[in-house]
């Protein structure tokens, strides 16, 4: 997983944004005041900027727990969605607003990893995900929820295949 590439995408979107994030917020919340739009855009930037740190924390926790074989493919999936220019809200044309879907998917994958009695690492994903869901809308969030489930299923299939191949080699 190349976190530098994820950070480069974020930095590039910030440079190209030119007010597009605030325009996006205005469209999604047409009754919001200018101050509410500015505040929401500011929070959105903060949430987007947490993704590389959270991915790094998850990778470190996976290594410490000996779970790299399962966790790293999921983190790779989240990072690839950030780096891939083809997605639900393209950052090439939408600036920072185009990273809202990428951020939502990354946080949803991390939230799924953290479910259960013994979370992978300490983090609260509920509030940022609720905030992003309001910004990206119900249709996009549903598609991203499905993509996060697909990522888990895909990794599960890959791990099962690896175990089968290892048992045949023995």
């Amino acid at each position: 997983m190349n976190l530098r590439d994820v950070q480069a995408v974020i930095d590039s979107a910030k440079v190209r944004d030119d007010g597009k994030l605030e325009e996006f917020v205005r469209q999604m919340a047409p009754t919001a005041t200018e101050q509410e739009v500015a505040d929401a855009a500011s929070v959105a930037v903060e949430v987007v900027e947490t993704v590389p740190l959270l991915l790094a924390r998850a990778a470190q926790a996976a290594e410490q727990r000996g779970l790299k074989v399962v966790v790293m493919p999921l983190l790779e999936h989240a990072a690839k969605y950030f780096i891939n220019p083809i997605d639900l809200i393209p950052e090439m044309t939408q600036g920072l607003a185009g990273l809202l879907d990428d951020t939502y998917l990354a946080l949803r994958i991390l939230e799924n990893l953290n479910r259960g009695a013994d979370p992978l690492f300490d983090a609260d994903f509920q509030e940022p995900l609720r905030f992003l869901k309001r910004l990206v809308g119900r249709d996009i969030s549903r598609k991203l929820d499905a993509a996060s489930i697909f990522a888990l299923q895909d990794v599960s299939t890959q791990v099962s295949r690896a175990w089968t191949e290892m048992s045949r080699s023995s």
Side-chain angles (χ1 to χ4, degrees):
M1 172 179 62
N2 193 339
L3 293 178
R4 287 185 186 148
D5 289 345
V6 172
Q7 188 62 54
V9 168
I10 293 170
D11 293 342
S12 176
K14 286 167 79 175
V15 168
R16 285 192 321 276
D17 187 68
D18 197 29
K20 291 179 183 143
L21 178 57
E22 287 189 1
E23 284 177 38
F24 186 87
V25 172
R26 255 185 228 99
Q27 288 175 358
M28 297 308 287
T31 61
T33 67
E34 283 306 308
Q35 187 59 51
E36 290 168 335
V37 167
D39 290 347
S42 178
V43 170
V45 171
E46 288 177 25
V47 173
V48 167
E49 288 179 331
T50 65
V51 170
L53 174 65
L54 291 170
L55 291 173
R57 284 181 60 200
Q60 182 182 29
E63 186 162 346
Q64 290 170 346
R65 292 182 173 202
L67 298 172
K68 283 177 65 173
V69 70
V70 176
V71 172
M72 292 310 291
L74 287 167
L75 300 181
E76 288 287 340
H77 186 84
K80 283 180 189 173
Y81 193 77
F82 250 89
I83 296 164
N84 186 354
I86 313 274
D87 53 24
L88 296 174
I89 307 173
E91 52 273 3
M92 294 301 286
T93 59
Q94 297 297 315
L96 281 167
L99 294 180
L100 297 175
D101 62 325
D102 306 60
T103 300
Y104 184 93
L105 180 63
L107 294 183
R108 182 60 81 194
I109 287 171
L110 289 167
E111 179 190 48
N112 288 337
L113 279 171
N114 252 15
R115 288 200 174 151
D118 188 18
L120 184 62
F121 67 102
D122 186 34
D124 177 25
F125 298 104
Q126 287 186 350
E127 190 54 39
L129 282 167
R130 245 183 305 214
F131 172 77
L132 290 171
K133 189 174 194 171
R134 285 192 305 264
L135 280 183
V136 301
R138 189 174 299 207
D139 290 340
I140 288 177
S141 64
R142 281 187 186 148
K143 289 176 184 175
L144 295 168
D145 289 341
S148 72
I149 299 295
F150 173 77
L152 286 170
Q153 292 169 339
D154 187 43
V155 168
S156 175
T157 302
Q158 290 174 21
V159 170
S160 293
R161 279 192 208 127
W163 283 114
T164 301
E165 289 301 316
M166 286 177 16
S167 67
R168 286 183 191 155
S169 301
S170 308

